[in-house]
């Protein structure tokens, strides 16, 4: 059977940085995110005895050997669970540049997991699907549930799952992803977080997270952008501080990243409510409400060094669709 899933990328308000268990991708801390409507992956999977081996294709690009191996490992987990042996054809397409910081691994493994299990004829609960997506790439588990999503760090694999806190229709929050460098990032998030325990700042970060998670939940409950934005920025700076103080240090920002961080503060001082956050790359996400979109985009366009912008609204989670890629 052939099945296709469409999965959004997501932006973390409280970030996942570091694992307790590398293989199972059990995180050091819980995290919380919003699905992004403008950055998504579509993946078609078909299992068939006609295929002599797994065939993995990326439309408009090429997977590295390592990426192909990760996709095949995910197919193996699906086959094992479904008790089938047929090889698969997988075709996948991103709506955004690979490695742009738009977290293609999050939407990629979410789409692969949902399409893969459906194609294998296995029906799993949403939280079971998030566990399988998580083993592919941690942040992928947050791209399966609807809208605003919590990933509980849990105690073991089954309890480290993601769930929706609010649907995508809950709040007209926006995220413009400002691409300052669309080249493939030099250090992937997986590689970047490997040495996390070498940072002297890690203990303080982990101690602060439970309170921050609560603060984000409270801000979301009251749709309080100022309260939310303050915590988002604090956690972003903290995550990058940990990365930058690891051995060897991991530096994701470039000059334009820093210019944007400064600009956001100026815009806020002049009355425009907008906040920043940054994942494992130099590109910057700006968070604001729908009513301020035109003003935010007008300001962003004045900054030199910006390649392109991707406008996002909150998005539903991963869904099966009827338009197959082959
Ligand atoms: C900085 O989920 O890409 O974007 O589990 O190793 O595949 P792996 O890492 P990944 O890490 C995402 C890190 C982050 C923060 C976040 O999205 O929470």
């Amino acid at each position: 059977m052939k099945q296709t899933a469409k999965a959004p990328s997501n932006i973390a308000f409280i970030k996942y940085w570091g694992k307790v268990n590398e293989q199972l991708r059990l995180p050091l801390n819980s995290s919380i995110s919003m699905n992004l409507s403008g950055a998504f992956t579509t993946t078609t999977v078909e299992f068939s005895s006609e295929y002599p081996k797994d065939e993995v294709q990326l439309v408009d690009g090429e997977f590295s050997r390592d990426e192909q191996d990760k996709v095949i490992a995910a197919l193996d987990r699906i086959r094992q669970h479904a008790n089938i042996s047929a090889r698969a054809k997988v075709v996948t397409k991103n709506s955004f540049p690979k490695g742009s910081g738009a977290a293609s691994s999050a939407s990629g493994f979410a789409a692969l997991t949902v399409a893969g299990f459906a194609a294998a004829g296995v029906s799993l609960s949403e939280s079971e699907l998030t566990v399988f997506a998580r083993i592919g790439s941690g942040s992928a588990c947050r791209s399966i549930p609807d809208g605003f999503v919590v990933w509980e760090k849990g105690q073991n694999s089954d309890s480290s799952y993601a769930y929706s806190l609010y649907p995508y229709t809950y709040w007209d929050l926006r995220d413009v992803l400002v691409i300052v460098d669309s080249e493939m990032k030099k250090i992937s998030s997986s590689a970047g977080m490997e040495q996390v325990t070498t940072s002297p700042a890690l203990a303080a970060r982990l101690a602060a997270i439970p309170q921050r998670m609560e603060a984000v939940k409270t801000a979301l409950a009251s749709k309080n952008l100022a309260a939310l934005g303050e915590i988002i920025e604090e956690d972003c700076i903290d995550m990058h501080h940990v990365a930058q103080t690891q051995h060897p240090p991991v530096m994701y920002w470039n000059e334009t990243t820093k210019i944007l961080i400064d600009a956001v503060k100026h815009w806020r001082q002049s009355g425009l409510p907008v906040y920043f956050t940054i994942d494992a790359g130099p590109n910057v996400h700006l968070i604001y409400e729908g009513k301020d979109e035109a003003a935010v985009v007008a300001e962003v366009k004045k900054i030199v060094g910006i390649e392109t912008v991707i406008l996002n609204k909150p998005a539903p989670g991963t869904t099966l669709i009827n338009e197959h890629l082959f």
Side-chain angles (χ1 to χ4, degrees):
M1 219 196 323
K2 190 186 284 184
Q3 292 284 357
T4 301
K6 179 179 170 184
S9 179
N10 68 75
I11 180 66
F13 293 162
I14 300 291
K15 311 242 181 239
Y16 149 53
W17 194 251
K19 303 174 178 77
V20 182
N21 179 317
E22 295 273 339
Q23 271 191 342
L24 289 173
R25 287 188 153 74
L26 294 176
L28 281 169
N29 61 273
S30 297
S31 54
I32 190 160
S33 60
M34 178 178 99
N35 289 336
L36 302 177
S37 65
F40 53 86
T41 300
T42 307
T43 298
T44 301
V45 180
E46 182 178 46
F47 289 99
S48 164
S49 51
E50 312 261 295
Y51 297 125
K53 61 181 180 59
D54 289 323
E55 202 182 306
V56 178
Q57 285 172 24
L58 178 65
V59 176
D60 297 332
E62 247 174 77
F63 280 125
S64 66
R65 186 71 247 169
D66 183 50
E67 287 166 330
Q68 277 189 37
D69 289 348
K70 283 184 181 161
V71 171
I72 292 170
L75 292 171
D76 284 339
R77 287 188 290 273
I78 294 169
R79 276 189 284 258
Q80 194 190 14
H81 195 86
N83 206 10
I84 57 170
S85 58
R87 302 294 106 178
K89 178 169 175 178
V90 177
V91 177
T92 192
K93 190 176 160 191
N94 291 323
S95 75
F96 49 84
K98 191 165 168 248
S100 68
S104 59
S105 71
S107 50
F109 280 97
L112 178 65
T113 303
V114 171
F117 275 105
V122 176
S123 162
L124 294 183
S125 69
E126 180 184 90
S127 72
E128 287 171 321
L129 287 167
T130 72
V131 166
F132 277 100
R134 187 206 74 224
I135 299 171
S137 177
S139 55
C141 70
R142 297 190 313 240
S143 284
I144 291 183
D146 184 10
F148 299 84
V149 177
V150 171
W151 171 14
E152 294 289 354
K153 70 173 178 159
Q155 312 290 328
N156 51 31
S157 192
D158 288 349
S159 57
S160 187
Y161 62 90
Y163 62 91
S164 175
L165 201 56
Y166 295 105
Y168 76 101
T169 48
Y170 172 69
W171 187 7
D172 188 21
L173 212 54
R174 301 290 172 96
D175 174 318
V176 60
L177 170 53
V178 184
I179 309 274
V180 301
D181 182 359
S182 60
E183 291 291 297
M184 183 68 187
K185 65 190 167 216
K186 304 281 181 298
I187 307 167
S188 69
S189 27
S190 303
M193 66 175 81
E194 243 166 52
Q195 303 301 323
V196 69
T197 53
T198 61
S199 167
L202 178 65
R205 168 168 175 73
L206 294 179
I209 296 257
Q211 246 176 320
R212 274 187 209 151
M213 287 289 293
E214 285 317 303
V216 166
K217 286 179 190 169
T218 305
L220 283 175
S222 54
K223 299 184 186 170
N224 182 339
L225 178 61
L228 179 69
E230 202 177 304
I231 310 286
I232 289 177
E233 290 189 354
E234 181 180 299
D235 191 67
C236 165
I237 296 288
D238 194 21
M239 182 216 110
H240 286 273
H241 176 60
V242 169
Q244 287 166 8
T245 51
Q246 290 172 199
H247 301 283
V250 180
M251 313 272 195
Y252 283 117
W253 302 353
N254 70 15
E255 285 315 305
T256 318
T257 314
K258 289 179 224 163
I259 289 169
L260 273 161
I261 292 174
D262 282 343
V264 166
K265 279 176 202 146
H266 286 297
W267 296 336
R268 238 173 13 235
Q269 277 157 11
S270 62
L272 186 59
V274 51
Y275 297 82
F276 68 84
T277 187
I278 304 152
D279 279 345
N283 303 317
V284 179
H285 292 255
L286 301 177
I287 311 289
Y288 50 91
E289 287 180 290
K291 66 180 174 52
D292 294 315
E293 179 127 298
V296 170
V297 172
E299 290 299 340
V300 168
K301 295 227 156 126
K302 290 184 202 158
I303 307 252
V304 178
I306 285 160
E307 292 188 14
T308 174
V309 297
I310 299 175
L311 295 173
N312 298 286
K313 295 180 181 182
T318 305
T319 50
L320 289 169
I321 60 171
N322 289 321
E323 299 88 62
H324 303 308
L325 293 176
F326 65 92

